[in-house]
Amino acid sequence: MNKVRVLMTSVLVMLMALSFSSCVEEIRYGSVVGCWELESDEYGYVDDVMVDKYHFYADGTGVYGYYDRDAYGYYWVGDVPFDWGYGWDGPGSIWMDFGYGERYYYYYDFTGRDLLLSRDPHFRTWLRYVRSY
């Protein structure tokens, strides 16, 4: 009877460990839905005119904003529509399609509450976005 109890306890512990590890992955690859504003890259904080902003909607659409320069200085270009989705290269990857052949592929992760985007799966280069409201 003791052997059965030990075996059942071992199975229960293994099941708990598996469920915990799946929760950790879910947190790491959480939802990018929301509004995100570029704050820094691997070199440090970016200049104000380098800031861009993504607003990811839950329905797989979004809008993008950025600063553009003309003869009179920088001006904000906003509400550029795009479609997006998860998983082009497994968990932790995201694609954005702006149409006309402009499709971008990124890996994403979270550090605290900030979103990291990188074209490198090892995040040797990255962009750090903070929630914007």
Side-chain angles (χ1 to χ4, degrees):
M1 188 65 151
N2 274 342
K3 288 182 180 182
V4 171
R5 187 177 301 167
V6 169
L7 180 63
M8 293 301 285
T9 303
S10 299
V11 169
L12 181 63
V13 168
M14 288 186 339
L15 287 173
M16 289 173 54
L18 285 173
S19 68
F20 176 74
S21 66
S22 67
C23 290
V24 170
E25 183 173 310
E26 184 177 328
I27 291 169
R28 178 176 178 190
Y29 301 125
S31 176
V32 299
V33 171
C35 193
W36 300 94
E37 185 174 308
L38 179 63
E39 184 173 83
S40 63
D41 59 17
E42 67 273 12
Y43 301 109
Y45 290 98
V46 298
D47 292 334
D48 289 343
V49 294
M50 299 302 293
V51 168
D52 62 357
K53 190 181 284 192
Y54 289 99
H55 197 138
F56 295 98
Y57 298 115
D59 67 356
T61 64
V63 291
Y64 175 67
Y66 63 97
Y67 284 100
D68 200 1
R69 185 179 171 98
D70 65 9
Y72 303 104
Y74 290 94
Y75 63 96
W76 182 254
V77 177
D79 297 334
V80 177
F82 65 92
D83 294 323
W84 68 277
Y86 295 112
W88 66 273
D89 191 28
S93 61
I94 189 172
W95 57 267
M96 292 172 251
D97 189 345
F98 289 86
Y100 309 106
E102 289 187 65
R103 194 166 198 174
Y104 298 93
Y105 300 92
Y106 291 99
Y107 295 95
Y108 75 95
D109 203 346
F110 292 93
T111 175
R113 293 190 296 177
D114 300 341
L115 170 67
L116 297 180
L117 293 179
S118 178
R119 293 185 182 224
D120 175 18
H122 303 290
F123 289 86
R124 289 177 284 238
T125 61
W126 45 265
L127 301 170
R128 184 170 64 89
Y129 288 82
V130 296
R131 284 220 183 256
S132 174
Y133 301 97

